[in-house]
Amino acid sequence: MMGRVLIVDDERGVRRTLEFLLLKEGLEAVVAESGEAALQHFREQPADLVLTDLRMGEMSGLDGVREEKRLAPETEVIVMTAYGCIETAVEAMKLGASDYITKPARNDEILLKVGKA
């Protein structure tokens, strides 16, 4: 498995749950509460994998995917959304996301997808 995972979600509970789950698996987890904060972290220290929510405040997860892939094309990105719609998944994949998770997701599903990435 890779080392550094950037978790981007505007819900504190989701960030904490994912952080705990990934730390338990021996990964380094960094959390950001917005797309803007995530990009700041990412510019300072790129991650091997970004787990990002799609619907957040000012900057959407799709904007984040676009910019993260521009800065570090080798970074894997998995998008998460409670608004599971095929169009959004297709758009995220076109921008370079490697996978898509519909929330709420089970821990084993998340770990499987993180492991594949």
Side-chain angles (χ1 to χ4, degrees):
M1 265 195 177
M2 70 214 43
R4 186 177 167 78
V5 181
L6 175 58
I7 300 162
V8 191
D9 200 297
D10 55 356
E11 292 179 51
R12 185 170 181 259
V14 172
R15 288 194 309 271
R16 291 189 61 155
T17 300
L18 289 170
E19 180 182 24
F20 177 75
L21 183 67
L22 297 177
L23 288 172
K24 214 168 71 173
E25 292 297 311
L27 298 167
E28 180 187 350
V30 178
V31 296
E33 69 285 342
S34 68
E36 295 84 359
L39 278 179
Q40 187 175 341
H41 280 297
F42 196 83
R43 284 187 182 107
E44 291 166 10
Q45 195 173 3
D48 299 305
L49 171 67
V50 177
L51 266 175
T52 184
D53 192 13
L54 278 180
R55 302 238 175 148
M56 296 181 286
E58 302 274 316
M59 182 178 177
S60 78
L62 289 176
D63 295 332
V65 172
R66 187 179 294 114
E67 187 62 12
E68 288 146 4
K69 292 302 276 186
R70 188 186 70 73
L71 292 169
E74 70 284 357
T75 296
E76 296 289 342
V77 180
I78 298 175
V79 292
M80 305 176 295
T81 184
Y83 306 89
C85 72
I86 299 302
E87 294 80 16
T88 312
V90 169
E91 191 175 348
M93 301 301 236
K94 282 181 182 170
L95 290 173
S98 58
D99 215 333
Y100 186 83
I101 296 172
T102 304
K103 295 193 304 191
R106 296 184 332 271
N107 290 351
D108 59 341
E109 178 192 4
I110 293 166
L111 290 175
L112 180 70
K113 291 186 182 227
V114 166
K116 279 184 185 174

